Amino acid sequence: MTGLARFSLNQQTVRQWSLPELATGCAAAGVRYVGLWRGPVQEYGAAAAGRLVRAHGLRVSSLCRGGFLTSPEPAARAAALADNRAAVEQAAELGAPVLVLVPGGLPPGSGDLPGARERVAEALAGLAPYAAGHGVRLAIEPLHPMYASDRSVVSTLRQALDLVERFPADQVGVVADSYHLWWDDTVPGQLARAGEGGRIAALQLADWVTPLPEGALLGRGQLGDGCVDLHRFFEQATAAGYRGPVEAEIFSTRLWAGDGAEVLAETLERYRRYVLARPEVAANPEIAHRVTEK
Amino acid sequence: MTGLARFSLNQQTVRQWSLPELATGCAAAGVRYVGLWRGPVQEYGAAAAGRLVRAHGLRVSSLCRGGFLTSPEPAARAAALADNRAAVEQAAELGAPVLVLVPGGLPPGSGDLPGARERVAEALAGLAPYAAGHGVRLAIEPLHPMYASDRSVVSTLRQALDLVERFPADQVGVVADSYHLWWDDTVPGQLARAGEGGRIAALQLADWVTPLPEGALLGRGQLGDGCVDLHRFFEQATAAGYRGPVEAEIFSTRLWAGDGAEVLAETLERYRRYVLARPEVAANPEIAHRVTEK
């Protein structure tokens, strides 16, 4: 299948697959990159996982995830920093060039977003050179504002860039994920800013569909099922100079209930139709976003 | 009870109350303003509802809601405009100075956010003078970005101001609601901008709590139960020159399950503790936001 030179399958999209199934399935489909998660990698062994993917002709686009660096409590903070150093070591063992960091939410009882962001910056000051020493680049991922209290006090690409630009570009970049950023009209300008500074460390794609499920975590849309102009997002990142892997990362109970190979085939078909090509939106009557209540 | 001169109870906070119960209950508690919704007002009769609240010494702070003005389909568009004119007439009959407009989401099959916003502007061009002729001011409410696809293509206060500043300030303002805006670090500056231009038409309060329920609609937090610095939000609006009513508008299945008078008493106590006073956050161990999953 052509057009897949930059496609990466994030393993959360096919959570039903083991690491060996992922490697075999991706190789069989002509995929060249995979995005991996710490849990399954740790279970398999990081070095062994690295060998496994390389043996199938694959490269790791990113390891998810470190972060959660907002606690002001000394013990929790020390534990978080140790965990992030372990994640860096795991990324290095695995051969992942990028470690994705989810900054973390507000500490219990706090409403101080700027203070929490500052603690992320303080943590990066130590972690960034540590990661660089291991050949790993950190990437701050701004998450949708609906996660601002419990997952990420960094909600916009602009906030993420304000944060990472305090560190060398080769040590700390950003993750641009369409699911988190699609609604924000400042993103085109901020993607250009990120590109100019060489700060786009990873690009991830999922579509936006409603209604959101309870907890708002596992309802991401398959590419083309929602309202995000994925082609435009991809083009903007490309115009900004990003030439790296493009990860499909879709947390979806619907996709997890299917056969892994079929989910991958569907994802690749959607990637070519909605990401690489300019889709004719009107030709997709099954588009899933809708007014759920007036 | 002192400190309630500006407090307004939005009737969605006590959905279990009929309009007469709302009027009696608010008057008994020393409340001076109520925020009303079209459904119950229409059922009771707008003019009769106006008489009812005035007979209890109350004033209407706002009527919710018109809007949903993003459809490009001629028939749907004409119906939406007619519905909004009816809402204006209802507000006038009721004696509500402000009609809240929820702009509307993306039309089915569309990913064109700027185009949808432009259709809201086109609608306002006709509706704003119509409303002014009825003594009613329109107020655009930016909704949290998690509603961008299905409820409001206007997600930030900055976008709302960019939109309303195309019209006279006495005809079109904005609603600043803490639930929708709390996460955004540009809000303090945008509230100042809104105040300078005389654009703050209404102020609404709810707290942010997680996890979000399915559909993300009915999980707003009672004042003080979440992570929003409500006092700071209130102070910023006051510093920007806003001196109007302050509505507690809390869509919460927990509150609707309680006794209306008890919910109002709790809300008033929370209003004085977390909005009027600077709370000692550390003194509130039951604070409800939390990390739901790492």
Side-chain angles (χ1 to χ4, degrees):
Chain A
M1 188 183 264
T2 59
L4 298 187
R6 295 174 60 192
F7 179 85
S8 176
L9 183 66
N10 187 290
Q11 75 175 126
Q12 284 291 331
T13 306
V14 285
R15 199 185 272 193
Q16 60 273 57
W17 263 352
S18 67
L19 260 181
E21 287 170 334
L22 180 78
T24 311
C26 283
V31 169
R32 300 185 188 177
Y33 290 95
V34 286
L36 300 182
W37 278 65
R38 288 181 68 196
V41 164
Q42 195 151 4
E43 205 174 299
Y44 195 85
R51 286 191 297 273
L52 174 74
V53 299
R54 283 191 298 277
H56 286 79
L58 297 163
R59 293 161 71 183
V60 179
S61 48
S62 73
L63 178 65
C64 295
R65 65 190 185 191
F68 290 93
L69 296 163
T70 50
S71 175
E73 296 297 324
R77 187 155 185 78
L81 290 170
D83 183 59
N84 275 273
R85 285 191 298 271
V88 164
E89 292 154 19
Q90 198 182 17
E93 259 200 301
L94 179 65
V98 171
L99 174 65
V100 174
L101 301 186
V102 170
L106 285 168
S110 168
D112 180 15
L113 289 166
R117 289 187 200 111
E118 202 49 37
R119 282 191 295 281
V120 178
E122 285 161 17
L124 286 177
L127 285 173
Y130 185 79
H134 286 76
V136 175
R137 190 184 190 195
L138 304 178
I140 289 283
E141 181 165 14
L143 298 197
H144 193 285
M146 69 186 174
Y147 303 122
S149 70
D150 56 4
R151 278 185 179 70
S152 176
V153 292
V154 179
S155 303
T156 64
L157 188 52
R158 197 258 309 147
Q159 290 175 334
L161 289 168
D162 286 351
L163 179 62
V164 305
E165 286 175 355
R166 294 159 69 171
F167 306 96
D170 60 344
Q171 292 186 7
V172 189
V174 297
V175 183
D177 184 321
S178 63
Y179 188 78
H180 299 300
L181 304 177
W182 74 277
W183 60 271
D184 181 359
D185 61 1
T186 70
V187 161
Q190 295 299 319
L191 274 177
R193 169 187 170 190
E196 274 170 35
R199 296 284 178 175
I200 307 177
L203 197 70
Q204 296 183 328
L205 300 178
D207 215 331
W208 179 269
V209 292
T210 57
L212 295 169
E214 184 183 355
L217 268 182
L218 307 181
R220 299 193 190 183
Q222 171 62 286
L223 312 179
D225 273 355
C227 58
V228 181
D229 190 335
L230 296 166
H231 178 66
R232 199 171 72 118
F233 187 77
F234 169 75
E235 272 195 328
Q236 286 166 352
T238 304
Y242 181 70
R243 295 288 183 275
V246 182
E247 279 187 21
E249 185 194 48
I250 307 162
F251 302 98
S252 161
T253 48
R254 178 179 82 75
L255 297 189
W256 298 337
D259 171 74
E262 285 172 19
V263 170
L264 174 55
E266 178 186 276
T267 306
L268 292 176
E269 188 273 325
R270 299 298 186 90
Y271 175 74
R272 297 174 80 194
R273 180 145 60 118
Y274 294 103
V275 179
L276 298 183
R278 179 171 293 286
E280 295 181 35
V281 173
N284 179 20
E286 334 93 89
I287 202 158
H289 84 85
R290 53 183 182 263
V291 177
T292 47
E293 188 213 28
K294 284 229 173 174
Chain B
M1 190 183 263
T2 59
L4 299 187
R6 295 174 60 192
F7 179 85
S8 177
L9 183 66
N10 188 290
Q11 74 177 130
Q12 285 291 331
T13 306
V14 285
R15 198 184 273 193
Q16 61 272 57
W17 264 352
S18 67
L19 260 181
E21 287 170 332
L22 180 78
T24 311
C26 284
V31 168
R32 302 185 187 177
Y33 291 95
V34 286
L36 300 182
W37 277 66
R38 289 180 67 195
V41 165
Q42 194 151 4
E43 205 173 299
Y44 195 84
R51 284 191 298 273
L52 174 74
V53 299
R54 283 191 297 275
H56 286 79
L58 298 163
R59 295 162 70 183
V60 179
S61 48
S62 73
L63 179 65
C64 293
R65 63 191 186 193
F68 291 92
L69 296 163
T70 50
S71 176
E73 296 297 326
R77 188 156 184 77
L81 290 171
D83 184 59
N84 275 272
R85 285 191 299 270
V88 164
E89 292 153 18
Q90 198 181 17
E93 259 199 302
L94 179 64
V98 170
L99 175 64
V100 174
L101 301 185
V102 170
L106 287 167
S110 168
D112 180 13
L113 289 166
R117 288 187 201 113
E118 202 50 36
R119 282 191 295 280
V120 177
E122 285 162 16
L124 286 178
L127 286 173
Y130 185 79
H134 285 75
V136 173
R137 190 184 190 196
L138 303 178
I140 290 283
E141 181 165 14
L143 263 52
H144 192 284
M146 68 186 176
Y147 303 122
S149 70
D150 55 4
R151 277 183 180 71
S152 176
V153 293
V154 179
S155 304
T156 63
L157 188 53
R158 198 258 310 147
Q159 289 174 335
L161 289 168
D162 287 351
L163 179 62
V164 305
E165 285 174 357
R166 294 159 69 170
F167 306 95
D170 61 343
Q171 292 186 7
V172 190
V174 297
V175 183
D177 185 321
S178 63
Y179 188 77
H180 299 301
L181 304 177
W182 74 277
W183 60 272
D184 181 357
D185 60 1
T186 71
V187 160
Q190 295 299 320
L191 274 177
R193 169 186 170 192
E196 275 170 37
R199 295 285 177 174
I200 307 178
L203 197 70
Q204 295 182 330
L205 300 178
D207 215 330
W208 178 270
V209 292
T210 57
L212 295 167
E214 183 181 356
L217 269 182
L218 307 181
R220 298 193 190 183
Q222 170 63 285
L223 311 179
D225 273 356
C227 57
V228 180
D229 189 336
L230 296 166
H231 178 67
R232 198 171 73 116
F233 187 76
F234 170 75
E235 273 196 327
Q236 285 166 353
T238 303
Y242 181 71
R243 296 289 183 276
V246 181
E247 279 186 22
E249 186 193 49
I250 306 161
F251 303 97
S252 160
T253 48
R254 177 179 82 75
L255 297 189
W256 297 338
D259 171 74
E262 285 172 19
V263 169
L264 174 54
E266 178 185 276
T267 305
L268 292 176
E269 189 272 325
R270 299 297 187 92
Y271 174 74
R272 298 173 80 195
R273 181 144 60 119
Y274 294 103
V275 179
L276 297 183
R278 177 170 295 287
E280 294 182 35
V281 173
N284 179 18
E286 336 90 271
I287 201 158
H289 82 84
R290 52 183 182 261
V291 177
T292 48
E293 187 214 27
K294 285 229 172 173

XYZ file of all heavy atoms in Angstrom, chain A residues 31 37 98 178 207 226 232:
57
model
N 3.259 -1.029 7.282
C 3.480 0.097 8.196
C 4.947 0.119 8.624
O 5.561 -0.933 8.790
C 2.541 -0.043 9.423
C 2.903 0.939 10.516
C 1.094 0.145 8.976
N 3.544 2.193 24.299
C 3.189 2.654 25.645
C 4.015 1.903 26.683
O 4.378 0.746 26.479
C 1.681 2.477 25.890
C 0.916 3.633 25.303
C 0.824 3.935 23.991
C 0.202 4.642 26.018
N 0.085 5.085 23.822
C -0.319 5.533 25.065
C -0.066 4.877 27.370
C -1.070 6.650 25.414
C -0.825 5.984 27.726
C -1.317 6.867 26.745
N 11.623 9.817 21.044
C 10.773 10.816 21.696
C 10.026 10.179 22.866
O 9.436 9.105 22.711
C 9.743 11.398 20.694
C 8.711 12.274 21.403
C 10.458 12.184 19.585
N -4.382 16.211 16.963
C -5.593 16.842 16.420
C -6.777 16.747 17.379
O -7.616 17.641 17.426
C -5.973 16.204 15.080
O -6.291 14.830 15.256
N -10.001 11.665 15.534
C -11.098 12.545 15.154
C -11.958 12.849 16.387
O -11.871 12.156 17.404
C -11.943 11.890 14.048
C -12.480 12.914 13.064
O -12.701 14.075 13.455
O -12.690 12.533 11.894
N -15.417 11.931 12.419
C -15.829 13.125 13.155
C -15.736 14.385 12.330
O -15.878 14.358 11.103
N -6.181 19.245 6.677
C -5.684 20.601 6.892
C -4.676 20.627 8.041
O -3.641 21.290 7.963
C -6.853 21.552 7.199
C -6.520 23.006 6.988
C -7.767 23.878 7.083
N -8.225 23.962 8.456
C -8.302 25.104 9.156
N -7.968 26.247 8.587
N -8.726 25.107 10.382
